[in-house]
């Protein structure tokens, strides 16, 4: 995964957290996916490394750190249920828009 040069470590964490959240919700809630399992696993491994590089403050400093506080990359099953209602709603809108555009 390549990031823009001007992104900070927390920018990278936020991006990968969102990507994992969106794709785990698509997979576990909507029973579909837009990326391969291998790509998802690579994202999870990358996020774990980013969390380690940042340290424990990522929980407070990142957008979704509160949902990823014990994330080890093994599953994203529980992440959606940890989100606030507002974040669940926002994700549902994004996902519905993506599903509406998906070619079947």
């Amino acid at each position: 995964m390549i990031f823009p040069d001007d992104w900070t470590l927390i920018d990278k964490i936020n991006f990968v957290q969102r990507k994992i959240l969106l794709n785990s919700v698509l997979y576990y809630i909507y029973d579909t996916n837009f990326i391969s399992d291998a790509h998802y696993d690579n994202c999870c491994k990358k996020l774990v490394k980013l969390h380690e590089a940042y340290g424990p403050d990522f929980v407070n400093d990142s957008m979704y750190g509160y949902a990823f506080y014990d994330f080890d990359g093994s599953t994203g099953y529980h992440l959606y249920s940890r989100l606030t209602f507002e974040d669940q709603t926002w994700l549902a809108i994004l996902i519905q828009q993506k599903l509406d555009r998906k070619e079947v």
Side-chain angles (χ1 to χ4, degrees):
M1 187 173 298
I2 300 173
F3 300 105
D5 291 337
D6 61 341
W7 279 19
T8 65
L9 187 53
I10 203 68
D11 292 333
K12 295 171 186 176
I13 289 172
N14 284 331
F15 176 82
V16 181
Q17 284 178 345
R18 281 191 303 270
K19 187 169 187 164
I20 289 171
L21 277 170
L22 285 167
N23 286 286
S24 65
V25 171
L26 280 165
Y27 184 80
Y28 291 110
I29 307 294
Y30 291 87
D31 195 29
T32 191
N33 61 347
F34 290 112
I35 62 174
S36 69
D37 288 345
H39 185 84
Y40 181 83
D41 290 343
N42 287 335
C43 290
C44 290
K45 289 175 187 172
K46 181 67 174 181
L47 184 60
V48 168
K49 288 180 183 178
L50 290 168
H51 284 172
E52 289 170 355
Y54 195 85
D57 287 342
F58 84 85
V59 171
N60 297 319
D61 295 345
S62 67
M63 185 177 288
Y64 299 106
Y66 70 93
F68 283 88
Y69 63 87
D70 63 350
F71 185 73
D72 65 2
S74 63
T75 183
Y77 178 77
H78 58 287
L79 294 173
Y80 183 74
S81 65
R82 291 181 174 182
L83 295 174
T84 63
F85 176 76
E86 291 80 13
D87 286 338
Q88 287 178 346
T89 303
W90 177 80
L91 277 173
I93 291 168
L94 286 178
I95 289 168
Q96 193 57 56
Q97 290 172 349
K98 189 157 181 74
L99 290 171
D100 289 346
R101 290 191 304 266
K102 183 178 180 181
E103 293 182 17
V104 179

